[in-house]
């Protein structure tokens, strides 16, 4: 199993240690393992998902072209045809639910569950379903998505697609990570791997060279951070390590300077109507970039820019204002998933070597801490991580 494991965001040694602990009957991991297996059993019946499932066809006339509608844009009630649409930040227009965006999100979620469950259990049915989902979305010549996002997050009456749509594929970095957990299974063979790497190589070129990609690269909020996550993840997946290193060395420090205030606040994110969600989302992207940077010898975890700007200071600001404070002081119009905060706290504890973050996890009364998958993929600092 060890020689077949290929990950970039996750530490292989930790994963293998957790796997051994599960097989040894570690009671501390039992609840998380049982929940993962239950969710994987349910995921066996999800999908397969494909861009050809949508009822509409992209403006190109090719149903294999990905197409989504910007979720926060609504018909203009003062116009007979509702055009052009108007923005209502944080309010999701149900029309966007039928787009490829939700299908892609469902694919990434199901794959994460199935691949993780396969790795920790060796149950081949999980790997077989994961392989089917991947081949249907990326490789089958009748159902596979064309590797571009020209029609991502279009706005009726305004544009057919835009650079902002690239946020739709932010899950690809985690998706290729999960593929790395399938290496020991015959359900995902060398031809499958090469096929997916070829798709990712073409998509990476599109991200780098298209007008949409260049526009997203210039964004100075979470869109820009997640754009870099995609570039670095895909570059590592296809073996373009020099490109990954260049982004980690040059682009990420610039984003820290532009996006993070000296005290750690994220001005672009706290101005939104779902400010807590976006702050956590952006920190997650910075954490991903820091972990990916480790693979190419770039230390972003301890990087400090002008006036002490850093990922750690931004994370501490978030912890202080989201957990330590009596309530979040900024606008958050939707329910927040506090399990996201557990993931960040555990990652922060491990990378910064600060056990006080574990104490904050214990205070998350809205999260069933013992059953969270975080315990398996980001184990607590202790016997399991060091075994």
């Amino acid at each position: 199993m060890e020689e077949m494991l290929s990950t970039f965001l996750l530490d292989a040694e930790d994963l293998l240690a957790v796997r051994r602990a599960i097989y040894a009957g570690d009671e501390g991991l039992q609840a998380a393992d049982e929940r993962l297996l239950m969710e994987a059993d349910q995921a066996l019946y999800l999908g397969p998902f494909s861009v050809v499932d949508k009822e509409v066809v992209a403006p190109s006339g090719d149903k294999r072209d990905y197409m989504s509608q910007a979720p926060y844009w609504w018909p203009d009630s003062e116009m007979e045809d509702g055009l052009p649409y108007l923005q209502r930040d944080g309010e999701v227009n149900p029309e966007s639910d039928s787009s490829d965006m939700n299908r892609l999100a469902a694919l990434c979620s199901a794959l994460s569950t199935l691949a993780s469950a396969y790795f920790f259990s060796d149950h081949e049915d999980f790997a077989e379903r994961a392989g089917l989902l991947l081949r249907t979305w990326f490789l089958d010549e009748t159902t596979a998505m064309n590797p571009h996002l020209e029609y991502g997050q279009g706005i009726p009456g305004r544009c057919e697609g835009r650079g902002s749509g690239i946020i739709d594929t932010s899950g690809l970095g985690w998706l290729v990570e999960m593929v790395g957990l399938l290496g020991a299974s015959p359900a995902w063979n060398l031809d499958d791997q090469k096929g997916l790497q070829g798709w990712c190589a073409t998509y990476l070129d599109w991200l780098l060279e298209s007008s949409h990609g260049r526009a997203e690269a210039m964004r100075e909020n979470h869109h820009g951070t997640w754009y870099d996550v995609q570039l670095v993840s895909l570059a590592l997946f296809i073996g373009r390590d020099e490109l990954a290193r260049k982004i980690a060395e040059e682009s990420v420090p610039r984003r820290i300077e532009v996006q993070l205030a000296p005290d750690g606040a994220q001005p672009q994110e706290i101005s939104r109507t779902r400010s807590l969600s976006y702050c956590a989302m952006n920190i997650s992207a910075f954490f991903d970039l820091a972990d990916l940077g480790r693979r190419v010898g770039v230390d972003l975890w301890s990087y400090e820019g002008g006036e002490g700007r850093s990922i750690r200071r931004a994370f501490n600001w978030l912890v202080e204002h989201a957990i330590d404070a009596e309530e979040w002081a900024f606008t958050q119009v939707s329910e927040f998933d506090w399990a996201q905060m557990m993931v960040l706290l555990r990652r922060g504890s491990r990378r910064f070597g600060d056990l006080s973050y574990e104490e904050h996890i214990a205070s998350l009364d809205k999260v069933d801490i013992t059953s969270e998958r975080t315990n398996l993929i980001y184990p607590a600092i202790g016997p399991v991580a060091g075994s």
Side-chain angles (χ1 to χ4, degrees):
M1 173 66 74
E2 184 168 356
E3 65 275 8
M4 304 300 289
L5 179 61
S6 176
T7 57
F8 304 106
L9 284 167
L10 300 173
D11 289 336
E13 291 184 3
D14 289 335
L15 293 174
L16 291 165
V18 169
R19 188 175 187 275
R20 291 192 294 269
I22 289 173
Y23 273 84
D26 188 319
E27 294 183 357
L29 298 173
Q30 183 177 351
D33 184 49
E34 289 179 350
R35 178 176 170 183
L36 174 60
L37 291 173
M38 179 190 69
E39 291 173 347
D41 283 336
Q42 296 170 347
L44 287 171
Y45 301 96
L46 299 177
F49 310 97
S50 169
V51 289
V52 303
D53 293 339
K54 58 181 174 289
E55 296 181 0
V56 298
V57 181
S60 63
D62 188 343
K63 210 166 188 180
R64 289 176 56 195
D65 281 345
Y66 180 99
M67 184 179 178
S68 67
Q69 182 173 314
Y72 300 154
W73 291 76
W74 294 71
D76 184 347
S77 60
E78 296 185 1
M79 304 298 290
E80 185 175 351
D81 60 0
L83 301 177
Y85 276 28
L86 303 176
Q87 187 177 31
R88 288 157 56 176
D89 187 39
E91 299 181 40
V92 177
N93 182 347
E95 293 177 16
S96 65
D97 291 344
S98 61
S99 70
D100 288 324
M101 176 171 55
N102 284 352
R103 274 179 282 275
L104 178 57
L107 165 68
C108 291
S109 176
L111 181 69
S112 177
T113 296
L114 290 165
S116 298
Y118 164 72
F119 176 79
F120 291 118
S121 73
D122 285 333
H123 292 178
E124 280 295 331
D125 53 343
F126 297 148
E128 289 171 3
R129 191 64 182 182
L132 174 63
L133 296 183
L134 287 165
R135 285 188 290 271
T136 301
W137 188 275
F138 295 102
L139 303 180
D140 189 291
E141 62 182 13
T142 61
T143 61
M145 170 186 164
N146 292 324
H148 68 79
L149 229 63
E150 288 293 335
Y151 309 109
Q153 291 206 13
I155 304 172
R158 294 183 182 273
C159 63
E160 295 178 340
R162 56 194 183 129
S164 295
I166 292 173
I167 197 73
D168 289 7
T169 51
S170 60
L172 289 186
W174 191 250
L175 182 142
V176 298
E177 189 79 359
M178 293 297 99
V179 171
L181 302 185
L182 299 174
S185 173
W188 186 253
N189 59 42
L190 184 58
D191 287 340
D192 294 328
Q193 183 77 3
K194 289 181 177 178
L196 183 58
Q197 287 175 326
W199 190 98
C200 289
T202 303
Y203 185 58
L204 177 59
D205 286 340
W206 181 85
L207 288 173
L208 291 167
E209 299 168 4
S210 67
S211 59
H212 285 346
R214 291 193 297 271
E216 195 73 344
M218 299 302 294
R219 297 291 295 276
E220 296 183 349
N221 63 358
H222 66 278
H223 276 261
T225 323
W226 281 107
Y227 173 81
D228 279 355
V229 172
Q230 292 186 60
L231 294 186
V232 179
S233 295
L234 296 179
L236 290 173
F237 182 64
I238 66 174
R240 295 184 62 180
D241 290 13
E242 286 304 316
L243 173 61
R245 183 177 297 108
K246 178 180 176 62
I247 295 166
E249 288 178 337
E250 299 177 7
S251 181
V252 180
R254 180 181 64 83
R255 296 203 186 282
I256 290 173
E257 293 291 336
V258 170
Q259 294 189 38
L260 308 181
D263 67 349
Q266 302 176 62
Q268 292 292 326
E269 312 305 336
I270 61 178
S271 66
R272 302 291 299 274
T273 60
R274 298 176 64 236
S275 58
L276 178 54
S277 296
Y278 283 122
C279 281
M281 183 182 184
N282 201 32
I283 291 296
S284 181
F286 275 118
F287 275 20
D288 280 3
L289 287 169
D291 269 341
L292 293 168
R294 295 171 72 231
R295 304 301 176 185
V296 290
V298 180
D299 182 7
L300 295 169
W301 286 109
S302 60
Y303 171 86
E304 282 196 12
E307 300 181 80
R309 289 175 172 85
S310 69
I311 293 174
R312 183 170 190 177
R313 186 171 290 185
F315 178 50
N316 286 339
W317 185 96
L318 180 61
V319 171
E320 177 185 347
H321 289 78
I323 299 178
D324 293 342
E326 291 186 7
E327 62 179 24
W328 180 250
F330 309 93
T331 305
Q332 174 69 23
V333 298
S334 62
E335 189 73 20
F336 179 70
D337 179 8
W338 286 95
Q340 298 177 53
M341 200 62 72
M342 178 181 174
V343 180
L344 293 176
L345 288 165
R346 179 61 55 73
R347 295 177 75 178
S349 174
R350 294 179 60 79
R351 292 294 179 245
F352 299 128
D354 188 341
L355 291 177
S356 69
Y357 296 127
E358 286 289 336
E359 298 173 5
H360 284 88
I361 290 178
S363 72
L364 298 177
D365 54 7
K366 297 180 180 179
V367 180
D368 183 359
I369 297 169
T370 59
S371 70
E372 278 295 321
R373 197 178 307 176
T374 303
N375 296 307
L376 305 179
I377 60 175
Y378 294 113
I381 298 175
V384 171
S387 62

